[in-house]
């Protein structure tokens, strides 16, 4: 067994559909070093689990530490997670069903692993490091390939009956809206998720609308990234402007629903789409949310962008590992 006195460091891992990010932290949540690798989900669960373990080892090595100096590893997975058993129940982006991730990783790494849903972990990270005075109630909405939320009530993560609370991406905003990956129509994610934004642009281009993106990326708009949208916006591209504004309006509507239902003190927005398009989206989101929430119930509620960016997941993982190894 590793020497308990030496185990003072924490690792946070963000397992995404396209990349794995691991960070090593002190007990004060200071990041000492990071490592990143691609997920390669198509190679299957065993291969991905090995890639997670390798990424953790790389991050630890980057900090000139040994794995037996790690007290705990907190990991966020994109899907429904059985926290107690450390099992991924279902993760559609990875093609996973019923994967005993905690057990397999502990076997490979020899350190305790704690598993949570990825957006829950991001919310934990944001809540623990972004506020000097902690709000009692906070909802973190994370907009990337998909959309998810983490709900903090009275300072604690709210997980719901089946531990799946926060599936805000599948809140239905328009029953006649575009088809969502989940099978329903008009989900929030089908309007404002990264893939939905890309698809909308591609459809409009097929319909004959003009955008500078075709000059940048070619007619089929392959390999579009959030950064490309930002570049197009800087050049006053009307098509991208229209699509991004519409996506922002739907984010504002989702915030209005959250304000009406949960009435949190703060809504924090994060994830790749917000990181890339914060300047273009935030004002529209805030205005739409306050215009659409019930009159008066939105008084004093703040809607702000996260400062952690891409690091929310690894910081939250470290917060979880710290909480569980106290
Ligand atoms: Zn859906």
């Amino acid at each position: 067994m590793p020497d308990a006195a030496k185990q003072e460091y924490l690792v946070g891992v963000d397992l995404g559909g396209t990349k794995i990010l691991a960070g090593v932290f002190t007990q004060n949540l200071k990041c000492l070093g990071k490592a990143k690798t691609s997920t390669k989900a198509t190679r299957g669960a065993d291969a991905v689990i090995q890639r997670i373990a390798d990424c953790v080892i790389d991050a630890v090595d980057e900090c000139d530490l040994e794995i037996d100096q790690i007290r705990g590893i907190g990991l966020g997975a994109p899907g429904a997670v059985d926290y107690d058993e450390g099992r991924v129940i279902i993760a559609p982006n990875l093609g996973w069903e019923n994967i005993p991730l905690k057990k397999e990783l502990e076997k490979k790494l020899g350190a305790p692993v704690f598993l949570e849903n990825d957006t829950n972990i991001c919310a934990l990270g944001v809540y623990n490091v972004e506020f000097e005075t902690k709000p009692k109630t906070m909802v973190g909405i994370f907009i990337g390939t998909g959309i998810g939320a983490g709900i903090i009530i009275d300072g604690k993560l709210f997980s719901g009956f089946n531990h799946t609370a926060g599936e805000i991406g599948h809140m239905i905003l328009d029953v006649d809206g575009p088809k969502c990956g989940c099978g329903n129509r008009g989900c929030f994610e089908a309007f404002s998720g990264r893939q939905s934004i890309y698809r909308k642009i591609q459809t409009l281009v097929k319909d004959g609308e003009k955008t500078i993106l075709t000059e940048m990326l070619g007619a089929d708009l392959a390999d579009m990234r959030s950064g490309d949208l930002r570049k197009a916006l800087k050049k006053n591209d009307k098509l991208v402007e229209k699509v991004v504004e519409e996506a922002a309006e739907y984010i504002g509507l989702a915030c209005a629903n959250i304000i009406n239902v949960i009435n949190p003190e703060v809504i924090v927005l994060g994830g790749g789409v917000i990181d890339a398009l914060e300047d273009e989206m935030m004002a529209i989101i805030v205005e739409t949310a306050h215009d659409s929430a019930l009159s008066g119930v939105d008084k004093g509620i703040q809607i702000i962008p996260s400062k952690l960016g891409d690091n929310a997941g690894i910081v939250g993982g470290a917060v979880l590992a710290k909480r569980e190894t106290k």
Side-chain angles (χ1 to χ4, degrees), residues 169-170 180 182 184 187:
H170 303 286
C180 177
C182 74
N184 284 334
C187 292

Side-chain angles (χ1 to χ4, degrees), residues 72-128:
I73 299 165
L75 185 149
V81 162
D82 182 329
Y83 178 81
D84 294 325
E85 281 201 33
R87 198 175 272 278
V88 175
I89 301 166
I90 183 159
N93 285 343
L94 298 172
W96 284 14
E97 247 178 83
N98 203 22
I99 302 291
L101 185 54
K102 174 187 166 80
K103 202 176 84 191
E104 293 300 321
L105 271 180
E106 285 180 343
K107 235 191 283 174
K108 288 185 194 297
L109 291 167
V113 174
F114 308 95
L115 195 61
E116 251 294 357
N117 164 270
D118 57 351
T119 49
N120 279 351
I121 264 194
C122 287
L124 260 188
V126 166
Y127 186 75
N128 275 276

